[in-house]
Amino acid sequence: KQEVTQIPAALSVPEGENLVLNCSFTDSAIYNLQWFRQDPGKGLTSLLLIQSSQREQTSGRLNASLDKSSGRSTLYIAASQPGDSATYLCAVRLKEEYGNKLVFGAGTILRVKS
Amino acid sequence: DTEVTQTPKHLVMGMTNKKSLKCEQHMGHRAMYWYKQKAKKPPELMFVYSYEKLSINESVPSRFSPECPNSSLLNLHLHALQPEDSALYLCASSQDPQGSWPQHFGDGTRLSIL
């Protein structure tokens, strides 16, 4: 059974700091890995998607990496801003033979202080 | 603004009521999903519709009844719910259920059962 773990569970940093969020998964038989952001009481906003054949994806101040063999992904946020405060979720997409569905980690709650 | 629209945003109902949640997307996506999210927990998959046919039911109780009338619309019919069913219900869609496409989420319906 695929399990997704996110570390740390919560993180508080001053504005301007660079930071790294970690995601690990137990089974490398995945289609892709997706990072989401969720604001309180809201739905999920897709940030980055990395296909299983890719190593990294970048969007603005965000960079996500994937090491499928070790079952790890990181989300790097450069020059953090108070508006980045949210819960960040990673999710792996299982291959069809394993159910073809997203399995989420519990999330990292990020607070960026001004 | 999200491209997946969910209505209503909030719903309060008694245990004997019948209500429906609605989800709509006009991106031409052929896979649609219902997730349930309890407070401070990650989303959990409930149902997957692939080309308007139910392809995955994650052993959800029959008091939840999904319906996909057409490729743009997904409903979740609710009847005789329990207080523990109070949660945020999220709808998502993706271009193709078979491929490595990202899932796009709506803002959810906050459901409270009295």
Side-chain angles (χ1 to χ4, degrees):
Chain A
K1 180 186 173 187
Q2 178 74 266
E3 293 183 1
V4 181
T5 304
Q6 290 188 246
I7 294 173
L11 182 62
S12 182
V13 300
E15 182 176 6
E17 206 165 278
N18 302 325
L19 56 100
V20 174
L21 308 182
N22 297 290
C23 173
S24 62
F25 49 96
T26 53
D27 191 333
S28 62
I30 63 170
Y31 257 133
N32 55 50
L33 184 144
Q34 198 167 356
W35 281 95
F36 294 91
R37 166 190 174 133
Q38 186 172 31
D39 294 290
K42 297 290 189 179
L44 278 65
T45 300
S46 180
L47 298 173
L48 290 165
L49 180 140
I50 311 176
Q51 304 292 358
S52 61
S53 58
Q54 296 176 322
R55 284 284 189 172
E56 66 178 317
Q57 284 287 333
T58 298
S59 176
R61 294 184 293 109
L62 306 179
N63 175 277
S65 68
L66 174 64
D67 184 343
K68 201 173 74 161
S69 61
S70 67
R72 294 183 181 182
S73 176
T74 61
L75 178 66
Y76 176 83
I77 302 177
S80 58
Q81 303 170 358
D84 295 330
S85 299
T87 297
Y88 290 80
L89 296 158
C90 76
V92 296
R93 182 77 179 265
L94 303 183
K95 290 189 173 181
E96 186 176 0
E97 57 264 40
Y98 300 107
N100 192 24
K101 59 184 182 182
L102 279 182
V103 178
F104 285 86
T108 293
I109 301 171
L110 173 65
R111 180 183 171 216
V112 181
K113 298 172 288 186
S114 56
Chain B
D1 287 337
T2 180
E3 296 170 319
V4 177
T5 304
Q6 290 188 244
T7 54
K9 292 189 184 303
H10 302 276
L11 179 61
V12 180
M13 57 187 287
M15 290 189 284
T16 59
N17 293 156
K18 285 185 180 181
K19 297 285 185 182
S20 297
L21 309 185
K22 180 179 173 182
C23 174
E24 204 162 359
Q25 57 87 14
H26 295 287
M27 296 179 282
H29 289 178
R30 303 313 301 271
M32 296 185 77
Y33 312 80
W34 280 116
Y35 289 84
K36 174 182 178 180
Q37 186 178 25
K38 301 284 281 185
K40 301 188 187 302
K41 298 288 188 181
E44 294 179 344
L45 182 67
M46 300 175 71
F47 302 104
V48 180
Y49 271 83
S50 172
Y51 293 91
E52 298 151 55
K53 293 190 189 311
L54 183 64
S55 60
I56 295 177
N57 176 340
E58 290 287 295
S59 302
V60 179
S62 60
R63 57 185 184 268
F64 295 90
S65 176
E67 179 196 20
C68 189
N70 58 59
S71 60
S72 300
L73 190 56
L74 184 66
N75 298 319
L76 186 62
H77 303 297
L78 314 172
H79 174 56
L81 295 193
Q82 304 297 308
E84 62 265 28
D85 296 322
S86 298
L88 181 68
Y89 287 83
L90 295 163
C91 174
S93 70
S94 64
Q95 177 131 358
D96 188 311
Q98 306 286 340
S100 303
W101 299 99
Q103 291 191 15
H104 300 267
F105 283 76
D107 281 338
T109 294
R110 176 74 60 187
L111 178 64
S112 298
I113 307 300
L114 301 178

